[in-house]
Amino acid sequence: MSTVRTLKLSSPEETHALGVRLGKLLQPGDFVGLIGDLGAGKTHLVRGVAEGAEVPRSEVASPTFAIVYPYSGRIPLYHADLYRLANYDDLYSTGFLDLVEGRDGAVLVEWLDRIPEAAPREHLRLTLKHAGGEVRELSAEAFGARPAALLAAWMP
Ligand SMILES: Nc1ncnc2c1ncn2[C@@H]1O[C@H](COP(=O)(O)OP(=O)(O)OP(=O)(O)O)[C@@H](O)[C@H]1O
Ligand SMILES: [Mg+2]
């Protein structure tokens, strides 16, 4: 079983729908890292995930001022953005590491490539690339057994 999937997303709606499907599958302890340029669609995908995880729409923000936003859905969802962090040490002060270790919810992290060590050993890594106009190319890579099972269920 391959642990990598690639997919073409032709519109924001398609990206959203894919996120919704992931949100229905997430369990506490799951960690999803998102990588991609400005405007690649990371936050857009997370909004879909939040909807799929039954988070009230009003709760969902774009993590601009805080590093981590907690959402309460079917399970707790933590939406983080590492864009403004410089290094691993910054993660201590934000409480991010406690949150990942606690495993009471699922964690979604934009700009994981800024601090790759922020990810636990087992995680799902999603990379979004601009592919002209509204087209995005998504590459999903699973590290570990649970992420591989999650990926297989998400993109059979
Ligand atoms: N296929 C697509 N999938 C997702 N978003 C798309 C797509 N086509 C166009 N867009 C648009 O691209 C923008 C993506 O913005 P979004 O905030 O999700 O990006 P981001 O990767 O989170 O960027 P940032 O690094 O600035 O946080 C939105 O305005 C969205 O409508
Ligand atoms: Mg974003």
Side-chain angles (χ1 to χ4, degrees):
M1 186 181 70
S2 167
T3 54
V4 183
R5 299 276 193 285
T6 57
L7 198 66
K8 198 172 93 174
L9 297 161
S10 305
S11 66
E13 292 74 25
E14 239 179 75
T15 302
H16 186 86
L18 188 73
V20 171
R21 289 188 31 237
L22 178 59
K24 290 179 195 291
L25 296 167
L26 285 180
Q27 293 298 336
D30 286 336
F31 184 106
V32 181
L34 295 112
I35 295 169
D37 293 340
L38 292 167
K42 303 180 293 298
T43 300
H44 199 80
L45 185 68
V46 172
R47 283 181 202 280
V49 171
E51 185 180 313
E54 298 163 40
V55 174
R57 192 170 295 242
S58 57
E59 280 193 32
V60 184
S62 184
T64 305
F65 300 110
I67 301 303
V68 183
Y69 278 89
Y71 305 142
S72 44
R74 173 178 59 76
I75 57 168
L77 215 65
Y78 300 103
H79 182 192
D81 194 320
L82 305 184
Y83 188 70
R84 256 160 249 85
L85 299 190
N87 53 49
Y88 193 78
D89 289 344
D90 283 353
L91 293 175
Y92 285 101
S93 51
T94 58
F96 177 87
L97 294 172
D98 295 334
L99 183 151
V100 172
E101 245 170 54
R103 300 180 67 88
D104 69 310
V107 181
L108 295 136
V109 182
E110 297 190 39
W111 289 101
L112 180 65
D113 48 330
R114 291 275 156 133
I115 312 176
E117 317 89 272
R121 197 168 45 81
E122 297 220 337
H123 65 279
L124 188 61
R125 189 182 302 171
L126 309 180
T127 305
L128 282 156
K129 288 202 173 106
H130 289 267
E134 292 201 324
V135 184
R136 303 290 188 271
E137 195 182 279
L138 172 69
S139 161
E141 193 172 2
F143 297 87
R146 162 60 190 164
L150 176 61
L151 178 55
W154 185 30
M155 298 185 198

